[in-house]
Amino acid sequence: MDYIDRIKELRRANNMTQVELSLALGLSGSAYGLYETRRRHMDIDTFVKICRLFHVTSESLLDI
């Protein structure tokens, strides 16, 4: 399991759709969808926003 899988789990555990999460992050739905399908690498700013939104550490998402 990698950090993308952990983010998906957090999103689903919080009953959020990809579109809802993308709006919370200030992204388009398609842009966020590319992250979850691994067609685009997530930039660090988006990663940090996700950590803050879900109140998790970067270490926990990266499994460090």
Side-chain angles (χ1 to χ4, degrees):
M1 179 180 287
D2 67 1
Y3 74 99
I4 295 295
D5 293 326
R6 289 182 191 89
I7 291 170
K8 274 194 234 183
E9 283 186 350
L10 280 172
R11 178 180 60 76
R12 290 176 180 157
N14 284 276
N15 297 313
M16 293 181 85
T17 65
Q18 285 185 0
V19 172
E20 290 170 331
L21 180 53
S22 68
L23 291 173
L25 297 171
L27 301 171
S28 69
S30 60
Y32 179 77
L34 291 173
Y35 294 142
E36 279 201 11
T37 58
R38 295 172 175 82
R39 292 185 186 141
R40 183 176 178 189
H41 292 285
M42 186 176 294
D43 60 272
I44 191 69
D45 292 331
T46 301
F47 182 79
V48 170
K49 286 179 184 178
I50 289 171
C51 291
R52 289 180 179 159
L53 180 72
F54 291 119
H55 306 288
V56 295
T57 65
S58 58
E59 290 87 356
S60 66
L61 286 183
L62 296 173
D63 197 29
I64 296 175

